[in-house]
Amino acid sequence: MGKFRLGRSENVYAWLFLAPALTLLAIFMVYPILWSLWMSFQTGKGVNTQFGGLANIYRLTQDPVFLRALTNTLIFLIIQVPIMIVLAILAAVALNDPKLRGRAFFRTAIFLPCVTSLVAYSVLFKSMFATDGVVNDTLMWLHIISSPIPWLAQPFWAKCLIIIAITWRWTGYNMIFFLAALQNIDRSIYEAARIDGVPAWARFVYLTVPMLKPVILFTTVISTIGTLQLFDEVNNITASGGVGGAPADSTLTLSLYIYNLTFRFMPSLGYAATVSYVIVVLVALLTALQFFVARERK
Amino acid sequence: MMNQALPLIRRTLVYGALSLAAFLSVFPFLWMVIGATNLSADITKGRVMPGSALWTNIQNFAAQVDLPLVLWNSTWVAVVGTALTLLVSSMAGYAFEMFQSKFRERLFGSLLLMLSIPFAALMIPLFVMMSKAGLMNSYTAIIAPGVASIFIIFYFRQATKAFPGELRDAARIDGLKEWQIFWYIYMPVMRPTYAAATIIVFMANWNAYLWPLIVLQTNDMKTITLVVSSLASAYVPDFGVVMVGAIVATLPVVIVFFVLQRRFVEGLLGSVK
């Protein structure tokens, strides 16, 4: 353990270098997260609050709007994340072929969506998916549909629209991580498998996917954390008259509900903090679950 | 022969799928540019041909938005926020790697755990803190919570593993103080890492929405992201004007991306290796 032996002056310098970051993290992360835990035991509105024990947790179970926000968020998560990860892997595998022409072009094009701000792309999608808009026009022209899809007006289609939008924005971002991992894989393994007559699909399933497992885990975890906090899209694409989550709360997410509880209605901070801890618990549980699943298969 | 036909079919499928993916990825950008030349009614009717309303849209945009002020606001938040974040977080990443101790390793481990704390769980206490400190509607409130970024600390620690120890030893023998080594040797040597981190942090700051939406209350303080969002959230949005706003919001980042593309992608990747 020789590498841990430092002189005293080095130790002092280490803390001097760390001091600004650690101080800021203490003020803006550790203190708020503990404070919001304490808040979650407070009930009441505005400035009139009192200790309510587990009253907020009881209120969660009786609150149909919360349950809808929770269901919506989990639907987005369960459907969108796997679709996006699969698309990202497929794109990465296709782009990793050294014989492919136009690799740089395809990679840049597919990566491009993730340089847009969430708000800018949200307003673009809002206009593209208007009832008489370009997307419906194209689908009707291709005879895929016979009448316009009410993307923004019907709960089911509004959810689909959000899923399409997030997938557009983040697939290229995830693809980059898979591409990097693929480039680190020794090509001779594939050569050996090909010479042994292993077909392409089997090389993909038995060689590529297992080797990508750490990256799959990483991208799934960051996508899960991101999707659980979904806000910008549902407050901009499926917003009607400045109120997000439309139509009929069908795209209301937990983050948006917290925002509404704090800033749109008479603030009920304790309850909003309780809802925010639902996200904390979900992030922790799902991350642990994903690590567990990844370990099981080893 | 089957063996020759199969790769051909597969190749056609791969090129077809990639072309479709590339088209779908790029189309909204084209849509944005075309949309800026069309009137709102044509945009929502799905007109894909360029129109002649560009100047009208720009004039309407300028009538509703004080563009120089908004751009100044966004630039100020993004530039100051990025500079502070890079300085504070790179110092921490440097120290975690260069001055290792058991205690600091444990501390670093707990920082990584905190990486998964969602912002949604912080925003209410942060909002109350900023209100009590009288910092609402200020750029300090926007910038301060992000300056110590665990992600960037982690990023710099990873990159510092490649920093040659001999350089530091030589500098010490020459009598340089630790902060001088950091400032005069580490920072110049690590310029590619700083460049990549700058892109990531600048983009996050420029595009930020939820926290500025909470903090900034008056129009004279608003950033371009907030302006675009409020233009589009009218009961009957003028999409021609919205498109002009979207271009203004997107263009700086797209330019940075194309100029520094390799750095951009390298930066993103460096953080996971």
Side-chain angles (χ1 to χ4, degrees), chain B residues 10 12 17 58 69 101 205 220 223 238 243 245 258:
Chain B
R10 187 167 353 123
T12 314
I58 291 176
L69 179 72
S101 76
N205 282 334
D220 62 316
T223 58
D238 183 335
M243 294 296 158
F258 276 108

Side-chain angles (χ1 to χ4, degrees), chain A residues 10-11 101 108 168 229 236, chain B residues 15 104 119 172 229 261:
Chain A
E10 280 186 305
N11 215 7
R101 280 160 188 242
T108 305
W168 179 82
Q229 300 188 70
N236 284 293
Chain B
Y15 277 104
R104 280 189 286 273
F119 178 72
R172 278 188 182 160
S229 173
Q261 194 174 1

Side-chain angles (χ1 to χ4, degrees), chain A residues 6 10-11 13 15 32 101 108-109 111 115-117 123 127-128 132 137 168 180 218 229 232 235-236 242 263, chain B residues 15 24-25 29 31 44-45 104 118-120 125 128 172 178 207 209 214 229 232-233 243 253 257 261 269 272:
Chain A
L6 295 174
E10 280 186 305
N11 215 7
Y13 268 109
W15 291 116
R101 280 160 188 242
T108 305
F111 182 74
V115 307
T116 59
S117 79
V123 300
S127 69
M128 281 160 50
D132 303 321
D137 277 3
W168 179 82
F218 172 80
Q229 300 188 70
D232 298 22
N235 203 40
N236 284 293
F263 302 105
Chain B
Y15 277 104
L24 293 177
S25 298
F29 291 90
W31 177 250
T44 49
K45 272 190 219 134
R104 280 189 286 273
F119 178 72
V128 180
R172 278 188 182 160
E178 293 295 330
N207 291 341
Y209 175 62
I214 293 170
S229 173
S233 68
M243 294 296 158
V253 185
F257 171 66
Q261 194 174 1
L269 296 178
V272 277

Side-chain angles (χ1 to χ4, degrees), chain B residues 83-95:
Chain B
L84 290 175
T85 305
L86 284 191
L87 181 66
V88 168
S89 303
S90 72
M91 274 166 58
Y94 174 80

Side-chain angles (χ1 to χ4, degrees), chain B residues 119-140:
Chain B
F119 178 72
L122 301 174
M123 69 185 191
I124 303 164
L126 283 178
F127 161 69
V128 180
M129 278 164 70
M130 292 305 173
S131 307
K132 283 190 175 154
L135 289 171
M136 286 304 279
N137 205 32
S138 79
Y139 294 143
T140 311

